[in-house]
Amino acid sequence: MRYRVQVFAILVSVLLTVSCEKTSTESGSGTLSAQIGIDPASSGFIASGDTLVGDQVMFEGRVMSGGSEVPSSGLEFTSDNSDVVEILNSSTGQALLKQVGSARVTVTFESPSLENRAEPLTAFMDVSVSEYEVELSLRSSVTDTPVDSANALVEDTVQVVAQVRLNGATVPSGGLTITRSSDTGVANPNLPSLADDEAALVGVGQANLVVQMTQPAIPGGGLLSDSINVNVESLIIELKVESLVPGSGSDHLNVNGDTLVTDSVQFSGIVIEAGNDTTPITSATWTSSNTSAVRITDSAAGIGTFDGVGTAVVSVTFDDPVVPINTDSMIVPVTTYVTSLDLQSFYTGSDTDTLVTDSVGVGVDVTKNGAPQAELLATTESSDSSIVAIIDGPAGEVLFADTGQAWVYVTLAQPTLPRAVLRDSIDLEISTYVAAISDPGTPVMGDSLDYDVTVTDTRGDTTIATYTADFQTSDATVIEIVTAATGRAFARDIGTATVSVDLVAPALPNPDSTISDALAPTTITEERFYGTFSTLSGDFGDTVIVRGSQVHTFTDSTRIFFPNGTVLFADTSWTDSLRAVVGAGSEVGQLLFYNLLADGSPDRDSVPSIDTFTGGGTVADPFEPNDTFPLTTADSIGLPFEVFLSIDPAKTNPIDNNFFYFFMTAGADVTATAEWQQVANIDFYVCSGNGNPPTDIIAICQLTGAATDTTGIETDTGNIGAGGPYVLRVWCEDSCPAVPLTYKLTVRQ
């Protein structure tokens, strides 16, 4: 291949001798000869003997006579082929060597002239102009072998090699640099890792590489350059993996090399050049980056196993002196079928809570890389059929028969792993709910009872905070359930009853199953009054309303008694309430009620109140309250009535007083009769109660009557004006006995 020379250098040459001389002999003057040549100083290339395209030279002429140069003038240089040698200045001989070829350059002298000749003295020379011939080739920097520029392979790195000739002879060359690529997407010389004379073949296609070299030098000061076309063809290394499990072929593999755990496989590869030249990979060594996922068992044969889930890079290195690549790798994600068991209650249709009595379907979901897989439930087994009973193994139906722990195993017929069947299991702890009623102790009649229930899940003995209960009683006349949901109850009467509870929620899956608990039978033996008081404390003379209940109602025979002294005096009774007033003194205690039944019924002994009543008053201990207050008739105002008075003779300063309160209607006539056992001056007065303190009552409360210091009966009569509470004041005026007396005082209307 020939290459044109870029010229901008100073030529060095040798003097080119004339190819022809014209001589003429004249008498008396000797022989003249004309010569033409190139001045060696005009170009270094001429000095080296080269006439190269692009060089500028100076032709020179001279006339010789007898071996000596004679003066000459009027030189004119001409070229018979100006396309090859162009005379730039015909007088000075400056010329340009334009292109390869031959030209005859002639010089004509105006003086001296030849005698007896009409033509001028001339000389000529034949000039052969040449240029460097550059031949470019490629060599692989990878394989260190020649590369056919018409069939280069992608992924190779090539070095451009130049051979330079001049007139058929090889000349030294060097300093080659690839200056440009017509398509860096095909051949890229600009990568930092490359030498000046290298290009990376990065894509399939064609590219033209332009090169320059610093040696040899060319006229004009430029660099010798040329280009070479590179046709880059495809190079594919194709790796594959196939299962070695008998009968499986490559069924376990996908296009990404995705395989299943337990598989035994064969790795192999081929090299494909230009899309059709296929060569199997031989003399290879196979390795794995993750031996826990892909384990190579024969590195030369490419045999391996998939031992676990994970991703490995399987690499191969092989010997091939032709292709630029001798290694490749593939990503092998090893996967498996993922099974998950789910339990669904046949009762609720939702996920089960592993509660006893539940009938459950055991289902299995199979996925591979997140994609659902077809599955066939082959069999279901239980490690303990007394806890988890298998009803239908192929259908996966089981029954949670009892509390405890059992394993359920599910074996699939398909899909299967290459060397194993799929089997999944689930550890089930079958539990139940337990209800336990709190024992309120030993209640008595009149107690308000709060039964509570503790609900636990036997799994971990976990307490259930939210539940719905239904409390029940075997005898509502003894223990009455007031609020079934909360266990609020009431000890209504004496007797025996059993309190139980059923859980509404949480409940066992089987709707026919219940969770319940019952206390041992509770016997109510002690009776209490469980009515209500309008107030639980009061000052002397205050009115207190005592209201009865369904069990305790008031009759005319009802009596109120304090074990440590009477502080509350009944003045009026109805069926459902009793009005009383606060007596003197500062007594505190539980009231005892008597005869809390309809008249004519047997007494129920004493019935203590569940409340504590505090009596008030502004006068302290000297005022001794009444002991009892029995009603004897059904009269609405409670009359006639009797009261037994006890007087402590030691209380003489002030004198001992007893106060008895009662309620009268307006305009009533009252007769009071007192009886006592021995001589004493007993006085009694009746006056308005109105909440006056005892000191006032002592001053104002009197009903005119004679005082008698005898044993027997004393009677007073009088008219009660306005209706309302009244006080009967009884005291010993004088002749008080040395020992306490019991007086019977009867007040009649």
Side-chain angles (χ1 to χ4, degrees):
M1 187 178 294
R2 295 176 59 84
Y3 293 86
R4 196 165 293 280
V5 177
Q6 306 290 332
V7 180
F8 45 95
I10 300 176
L11 300 179
V12 178
S13 178
V14 297
L15 176 65
L16 298 180
T17 59
V18 298
S19 300
C20 179
E21 293 183 346
K22 288 187 177 182
T23 63
S24 177
T25 302
E26 299 179 3
S27 60
S29 61
T31 301
L32 296 176
S33 64
Q35 296 179 349
I36 186 172
I38 302 175
D39 184 1
S42 66
S43 171
F45 296 99
I46 295 298
S48 300
D50 297 328
T51 51
L52 295 174
V53 170
D55 203 358
Q56 287 193 34
V57 298
M58 296 293 290
F59 286 94
E60 62 181 5
R62 59 188 174 184
V63 179
M64 302 296 293
S65 175
S68 299
E69 183 178 359
V70 298
S72 59
S73 63
L75 284 69
E76 182 179 1
F77 295 90
T78 61
S79 171
D80 68 350
N81 190 348
S82 60
D83 290 335
V84 175
V85 178
E86 180 184 1
I87 301 301
L88 302 177
N89 190 325
S90 61
S91 299
T92 63
Q94 184 180 9
L96 173 64
L97 307 184
K98 293 180 65 176
Q99 67 179 27
V100 175
S102 296
R104 177 168 285 185
V105 179
T106 302
V107 62
T108 301
F109 296 90
E110 182 181 325
S111 176
S113 61
L114 295 174
E115 296 180 2
N116 304 317
R117 298 280 184 94
E119 66 274 11
L121 182 64
T122 64
F124 66 88
M125 65 179 296
D126 290 326
V127 180
S128 179
V129 180
S130 61
E131 67 179 354
Y132 292 117
E133 296 179 0
V134 180
E135 182 179 348
L136 299 179
S137 61
L138 301 178
R139 188 175 187 83
S140 173
S141 299
V142 178
T143 63
D144 197 26
T145 57
V147 174
D148 185 356
S149 62
N151 297 285
L153 295 175
V154 74
E155 301 292 339
D156 203 356
T157 298
V158 294
Q159 178 189 31
V160 179
V161 180
Q163 187 176 40
V164 183
R165 294 182 180 87
L166 181 61
N167 298 324
T170 301
V171 298
S173 62
L176 188 145
T177 300
I178 302 173
T179 60
R180 188 178 68 85
S181 170
S182 64
D183 190 344
T184 55
V186 175
N188 189 351
N190 303 321
L191 301 180
S193 60
L194 300 178
D196 292 341
D197 57 356
E198 289 182 328
L201 306 184
V202 295
V204 175
Q206 294 182 340
N208 179 263
L209 298 177
V210 178
V211 299
Q212 290 181 341
M213 60 195 78
T214 59
Q215 292 293 329
I218 60 173
L223 298 178
L224 185 62
S225 67
D226 201 0
S227 66
I228 183 171
N229 291 320
V230 182
N231 181 50
V232 181
E233 296 181 336
S234 62
L235 173 64
I236 299 174
I237 298 177
E238 187 176 280
L239 303 183
K240 65 178 181 178
V241 57
E242 294 180 310
S243 175
L244 295 177
V245 176
S248 65
S250 60
D251 293 343
H252 301 137
L253 310 174
N254 63 26
V255 293
N256 295 320
D258 187 17
T259 62
L260 287 169
V261 167
T262 75
D263 210 355
S264 295
V265 294
Q266 169 77 65
F267 291 99
S268 61
I270 56 175
V271 179
I272 305 173
E273 301 176 36
N276 52 24
D277 187 5
T278 302
T279 304
I281 291 177
T282 58
S283 302
T285 300
W286 297 84
T287 59
S288 169
S289 66
N290 184 0
T291 56
S292 64
V294 179
R295 181 168 55 92
I296 303 298
T297 57
D298 189 333
S299 61
I303 296 176
T305 60
F306 297 116
D307 291 344
V309 174
T311 300
V313 178
V314 176
S315 304
V316 61
T317 303
F318 56 93
D319 295 332
D320 191 327
V322 178
V323 298
I325 303 174
N326 66 349
T327 184
D328 199 8
S329 62
M330 65 186 300
I331 298 175
V332 182
V334 181
T335 187
T336 189
Y337 294 112
V338 177
T339 59
S340 61
L341 300 183
D342 65 271
L343 308 177
Q344 193 169 59
S345 171
F346 287 127
Y347 289 112
T348 64
S350 59
D351 294 343
T352 182
D353 196 20
T354 60
L355 286 169
V356 101
T357 77
D358 206 355
S359 181
V360 175
V362 181
V364 60
D365 292 324
V366 182
T367 59
K368 178 186 174 188
N369 297 330
Q373 304 290 306
E375 53 88 10
L376 175 64
L377 183 62
T379 183
T380 306
E381 303 168 273
S382 171
S383 65
D384 191 338
S385 59
S386 67
I387 296 174
V388 178
I390 304 299
I391 306 302
D392 189 336
E397 183 178 350
V398 301
L399 173 67
F400 295 156
D402 200 356
T403 58
Q405 198 151 7
W407 285 88
V408 171
Y409 303 95
V410 177
T411 305
L412 296 179
Q414 69 177 60
T416 60
L417 296 173
R419 294 184 179 273
V421 297
L422 292 176
R423 194 178 198 218
D424 201 354
S425 63
I426 184 172
D427 185 11
L428 299 179
E429 183 180 355
I430 312 303
S431 65
T432 189
Y433 298 117
V434 176
I437 303 180
S438 60
D439 191 342
T442 306
V444 297
M445 181 178 171
D447 281 349
S448 291
L449 306 177
D450 285 302
Y451 289 95
D452 195 9
V453 61
T454 301
V455 182
T456 56
D457 188 338
T458 58
R459 184 189 297 105
D461 199 24
T462 305
T463 300
I464 305 298
T466 303
Y467 58 85
T468 303
D470 180 21
F471 288 88
Q472 303 164 26
T473 178
S474 63
D475 189 344
T477 65
V478 176
I479 296 180
E480 179 183 358
I481 302 298
V482 179
T483 307
T486 63
R488 183 74 174 173
F490 187 67
R492 189 175 185 205
D493 207 346
I494 57 177
T496 300
T498 300
V499 175
S500 61
V501 66
D502 291 336
L503 285 187
V504 178
L508 295 177
N510 189 331
D512 296 330
S513 301
T514 58
I515 303 168
S516 59
D517 188 31
L519 291 173
T522 302
T523 301
I524 309 298
T525 58
E526 181 182 349
E527 184 178 7
R528 283 188 182 177
F529 172 78
Y530 54 87
T532 60
F533 291 80
S534 61
T535 178
L536 293 179
S537 64
D539 286 333
F540 181 80
D542 285 349
T543 300
V544 178
I545 303 297
V546 184
R547 301 199 181 277
S549 67
Q550 294 178 347
V551 173
H552 291 141
T553 59
F554 298 108
T555 70
D556 290 337
S557 299
T558 301
R559 294 181 297 160
I560 305 176
F561 172 75
F562 271 81
N564 59 341
T566 303
V567 297
L568 198 65
F569 302 96
D571 59 22
T572 307
S573 68
W574 295 270
T575 301
D576 59 349
S577 63
L578 176 74
R579 184 162 59 182
V581 291
V582 180
S586 301
E587 301 293 342
V588 176
Q590 281 192 317
L591 294 171
L592 297 182
F593 291 80
Y594 292 86
N595 299 323
L596 294 180
L597 286 176
D599 288 342
S601 299
D603 289 348
R604 296 185 64 168
D605 299 324
S606 62
V607 180
S609 169
I610 60 173
D611 296 310
T612 298
F613 190 89
T614 301
T618 57
V619 179
D621 190 43
F623 302 98
E624 185 175 295
N626 295 282
D627 292 333
T628 62
F629 173 26
L631 299 178
T632 57
T633 72
D635 191 278
S636 62
I637 63 170
L639 296 176
F641 58 84
E642 292 181 333
V643 61
F644 290 86
L645 306 178
S646 178
I647 297 177
D648 184 353
K651 296 177 181 180
T652 58
N653 187 21
I655 58 175
D656 193 15
N657 282 264
N658 284 282
F659 301 91
F660 184 75
Y661 279 80
F662 58 96
F663 191 86
M664 299 289 289
T665 59
D669 292 327
V670 176
T671 299
T673 301
E675 301 177 58
W676 55 94
Q677 299 103 318
Q678 65 185 53
V679 175
N681 185 2
I682 303 300
D683 286 341
F684 49 93
Y685 294 146
V686 175
C687 65
S688 175
N690 291 327
N692 291 320
T695 52
D696 293 340
I697 294 175
I698 292 173
I700 66 175
C701 186
Q702 48 185 318
L703 179 65
T704 302
T708 304
D709 293 332
T710 60
T711 300
I713 299 174
E714 182 175 324
T715 300
D716 258 337
T717 61
N719 179 266
I720 301 298
Y726 283 82
V727 174
L728 173 65
R729 174 193 173 205
V730 182
W731 75 99
C732 181
E733 183 71 26
D734 53 28
S735 302
C736 295
V739 297
L741 295 178
T742 297
Y743 305 92
K744 179 180 180 182
L745 179 66
T746 302
V747 180
R748 300 180 184 280
Q749 183 176 6

